[in-house]
């Protein structure tokens, strides 16, 4: 046991750090947090950004309803308390990815300012980049798109507390970026995010 | 909007997959789940393994009490229910890392077979590698080491439900690997894990 303890000390000296992982990956881990109405185009731009970054050999991972709501957060419903806990957990998971050196993309409606500000604050605490991207389209545009038929159901009263219809969407006051997906091409949206990531040193210029 | 939707289809065709990320990283994402008594040497071997893998330019990330219990799981205590939820969430987070292509190392006591088997099953469901490593030392050895002074406190009745003293440790029946850290050098332990990862195709041979 004495031998092992001595060995431990040697090994522990060289703990792998966040900076080491960033260097290995040639990028800086960061959270890109897309927020906006259902149908605003958050997932569309997140998917396109993921592809554009991966094409540059960057490691990027997308957190969305498919892998979060059906996995770690499957024990959460849609009460006010559960919605807040949903966003808190996503924020904490994003931080773990940032620590691992990964560029984490989050695309959830995340309608409440308090919840998003909590996630921003937890990143700041750990000196991590949090890029809030407001995908800003008028409600009428999102409702006309209605890709999942949710607005129709909400209008029919079949979905209670639906953001934009029967529950508020609190727009970010000072997001890092605003994307008006009804006035921009997808390429323009992706280019705008990438330019910002380069400015911030998250991607090499 | 019509234009954007058309563009979407093109972009979506090339979704980045788990296989793509594995290829970029030159490894296969997998979960290495260390289990054993407090003081058995789980964290020691996880830290040393992390260093050895990183030295080979592999992306590895360690989940432990520091980054999990103080972050995403800080709203969980030590009741039976909370302990189970703690392990479930860690398992789900590990899966997200595996999906991202990362080799995730988990070092928690995780004393209950049911909880570990749930994590194993959730990996199997998604066709992900789950390597259970039992760090197996006699209780007397762990208690003599007592690196955090926890056994002393547990014996004094200051910590209720302490694994090995007042709460059971259910040893794995068919773990992928057993490490007797009191009979092996740290180098031997790390080499044994790496050999297994090569055998499984998680690391290139």
């Amino acid at each position: 046991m004495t031998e092992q303890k001595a060995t431990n000390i040697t090994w522990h000296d060289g703990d792998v750090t966040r900076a080491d992982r960033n260097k290995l990956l040639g990028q800086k881990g960061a959270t890109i947090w897309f927020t906006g109405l259902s149908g605003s185009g958050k997932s569309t731009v997140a998917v396109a950004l993921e592809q554009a970054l991966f094409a540059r050999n960057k490691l990027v991972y997308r957190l969305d309803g498919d892998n979060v709501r059906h996995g770690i957060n499957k024990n959460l419903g849609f009460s006010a308390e559960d919605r807040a806990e949903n966003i808190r957990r996503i924020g904490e998971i994003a931080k773990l990815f940032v620590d691992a050196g990964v560029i984490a993309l989050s695309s959830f409606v995340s309608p409440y300012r308090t919840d998003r500000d909590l996630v921003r604050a937890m990143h700041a605490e750990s000196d991590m980049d949090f890029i809030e991207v407001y995908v800003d389209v008028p409600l009428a545009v999102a409702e006309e798109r209605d890709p999942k038929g949710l607005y129709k159901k909400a209008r029919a009263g079949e979905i209670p507390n639906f953001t934009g219809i029967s529950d508020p969407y609190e727009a970010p006051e000072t997001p890092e970026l605003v994307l008006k997906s009804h006035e921009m091409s997808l390429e323009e949206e992706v280019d705008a995010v990438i330019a910002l990531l380069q400015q911030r040193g998250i991607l090499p210029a």
Side-chain angles (χ1 to χ4, degrees), chain A residues 85-131:
Chain A
E85 172 67 2
N86 182 50
I87 298 300
R88 186 194 71 84
R89 287 191 202 165
I90 294 163
E92 292 284 7
I93 292 167
K95 279 187 64 175
L96 293 171
F97 275 98
V98 175
D99 194 30
V102 180
I103 298 173
L105 311 184
S106 159
S107 62
F108 294 85
V109 175
S110 50
Y112 304 124
R113 208 171 284 139
T114 314
D115 295 340
R116 295 191 309 263
D117 286 350
L118 179 90
V119 176
R120 178 185 290 277
M122 65 170 77
H123 279 73
E125 254 174 42
S126 300
D127 195 24
M128 290 177 174
D129 287 290
F130 176 78
I131 310 288

Side-chain angles (χ1 to χ4, degrees), chain A residues 13 21 27 30 77 100 120 135 158 180:
Chain A
D13 274 335
R21 289 182 287 260
Q27 63 188 39
R120 178 185 290 277
V135 185
E158 293 166 29
K180 293 182 183 290

Side-chain angles (χ1 to χ4, degrees), chain A residues 23-101:
Chain A
K23 197 174 166 194
L24 173 69
L25 295 171
Q27 63 188 39
K28 190 175 170 202
T31 296
I32 322 294
W33 190 278
F34 295 95
T35 173
L37 293 169
S38 175
S40 60
K42 296 178 301 299
S43 293
T44 301
V45 63
V47 166
L49 177 64
E50 177 183 40
Q51 292 168 348
L53 292 177
F54 190 80
R56 294 165 184 240
N57 292 322
K58 297 307 164 195
L59 187 65
V60 52
Y61 190 67
R62 213 155 32 83
L63 297 168
D64 61 19
D66 286 339
N67 56 20
V68 169
R69 270 281 183 192
H70 298 157
I72 188 162
N73 287 359
K74 71 180 172 190
N75 56 1
L76 297 175
F78 292 89
S79 68
E81 196 187 353
D82 279 7
R83 282 174 168 219
E85 172 67 2
N86 182 50
I87 298 300
R88 186 194 71 84
R89 287 191 202 165
I90 294 163
E92 292 284 7
I93 292 167
K95 279 187 64 175
L96 293 171
F97 275 98
V98 175
D99 194 30

Side-chain angles (χ1 to χ4, degrees), chain A residues 124-191:
Chain A
E125 254 174 42
S126 300
D127 195 24
M128 290 177 174
D129 287 290
F130 176 78
I131 310 288
E132 190 176 13
V133 180
Y134 176 27
V135 185
D136 176 18
V137 300
L139 175 61
V141 172
E143 191 167 356
E144 196 196 320
R145 289 178 181 169
D146 205 8
K148 300 175 193 161
L150 297 174
Y151 285 98
K152 191 169 275 182
K153 284 187 186 168
R155 289 284 184 198
E158 293 166 29
I159 307 177
N161 306 117
F162 191 79
T163 300
I165 304 297
S166 45
D167 214 57
Y169 177 79
E170 300 173 354
E173 285 169 340
T174 52
E176 274 71 13
L177 192 64
V178 178
L179 299 176
K180 293 182 183 290
S181 73
H182 56 303
E183 295 175 358
M184 299 170 79
S185 73
L186 190 53
E187 286 81 356
E188 285 170 338
E189 292 183 72
V190 169
D191 287 348

